[in-house]
Amino acid sequence: MELLYILIGVAVIIALITVVIHNGIISRRNTVVRSWSNVITYERQKNVTLPELEKHAAEYKDHESELLSKITALRSAIDQASSGEVSTDNLKAIETHTASMLGSFKVAVEAYPNLEMASITKSLMKEISELQDNIAAAITIFNRNVEAFNTGIQTFPNSLVNTMVTKEKSYQSFQNEEANDSLGFTLARGE
C-alpha cells in the first residue's frame, strides 16, 4: 500500500511539473505575440504620418515623382503586416521600404531647401525617424522574447513537454541583413 502512495505521489509531481512547464511555454509564446503586436502597432503609426508626408511630397512631384511611389509602397507593406501572424519577412520589407523612402525624401528636401514646406516636411520626417527609433526598440524586445521562447522549448525537460503536450514551433527572430552586410561580420559556429 505504501508503494501505491509513492507511485501516486510521483505521478502527481510529474503532472504538476508538466503543467508548470506547459504554462511557462504558453506564457512565453504570448509574450512573443504581444511584442510582435507592438512592432506592428509602431509600423502602423507610420500610416498616420505618411498621408501628410505624401501630400507634401505631391507638392514636390515635379521634382521628385519617385518619392511618391516609395511612400505608396511603404504604406502597402505596412497594411499587409499582421499583428496576429509573426512574419519577420513582412517586417524586412517594411524596414527596406522605410529606409528607401527616408533616403529619397532627405535628398528631395536637401535639393530644394527654399521651398516653403521644407519646415513642415522636416517635422514630418522627424516624426517618422522617431517612430523608427521606437520600432528599433520594439524589435529588440521582440527578438529577446523570441530568444527566451525558443530556449524555453528547446531545453530539457521543456523540450520533452513541448514535444508531447504543447507542440509549439520556434519563432524566427528579426534579422536585418542590410545592417549585417554593412558590418562585414558573420557569426560562424566552431566545429
Side-chain angles (χ1 to χ4, degrees):
M1 191 71 160
E2 201 172 289
L3 180 62
L4 180 63
Y5 289 137
I6 291 173
L7 290 176
I8 291 173
V10 169
V12 167
I13 289 172
I14 290 173
L16 286 174
I17 290 171
T18 301
V19 167
V20 168
I21 290 173
H22 171 76
N23 289 344
I25 290 170
I26 297 302
S27 175
R28 285 188 295 277
R29 183 202 59 208
N30 291 342
T31 302
V32 167
V33 171
R34 185 182 67 241
S35 62
W36 177 254
S37 294
N38 290 342
V39 171
I40 297 304
T41 298
Y42 282 124
E43 288 291 354
R44 289 194 174 151
Q45 284 179 352
K46 285 183 200 173
N47 270 344
V48 173
T49 305
L50 287 174
E52 192 66 26
L53 185 59
E54 198 169 25
K55 181 178 109 186
H56 289 283
E59 301 290 331
Y60 287 108
K61 89 175 156 186
D62 293 338
H63 305 292
E64 198 62 52
S65 62
E66 178 185 343
L67 179 59
L68 285 172
S69 64
K70 289 184 179 182
I71 292 172
T72 303
L74 174 60
R75 291 181 71 192
S76 174
I78 291 171
D79 287 340
Q80 291 175 7
S82 168
S83 59
E85 176 190 343
V86 177
S87 172
T88 56
D89 292 335
N90 287 347
L91 184 57
K92 287 177 192 175
I94 291 169
E95 291 303 299
T96 300
H97 286 302
T98 299
S100 175
M101 187 266 312
L102 286 172
S104 292
F105 208 77
K106 185 176 180 184
V107 168
V109 171
E110 288 173 355
Y112 312 106
N114 295 328
L115 294 175
E116 291 178 16
M117 291 177 293
S119 65
I120 296 170
T121 302
K122 286 179 182 178
S123 171
L124 290 169
M125 292 305 293
K126 181 181 179 195
E127 187 175 334
I128 290 176
S129 291
E130 288 171 359
L131 282 171
Q132 280 303 110
D133 291 342
N134 291 341
I135 290 165
I139 288 171
T140 299
I141 292 167
F142 167 74
N143 281 344
R144 243 185 273 138
N145 290 331
V146 166
E147 177 186 5
F149 174 80
N150 290 346
T151 300
I153 65 170
Q154 294 168 351
T155 56
F156 185 80
N158 296 18
S159 61
L160 183 64
V161 171
N162 188 53
T163 301
M164 294 173 58
V165 179
T166 314
K167 300 182 187 321
E168 289 290 332
K169 302 215 179 311
S170 62
Y171 286 102
Q172 179 182 350
S173 62
F174 178 73
Q175 300 289 324
N176 187 337
E177 281 85 17
E178 209 172 291
N180 290 344
D181 291 345
S182 70
L183 291 174
F185 172 79
T186 56
L187 184 62
R189 295 182 76 168
E191 303 213 14

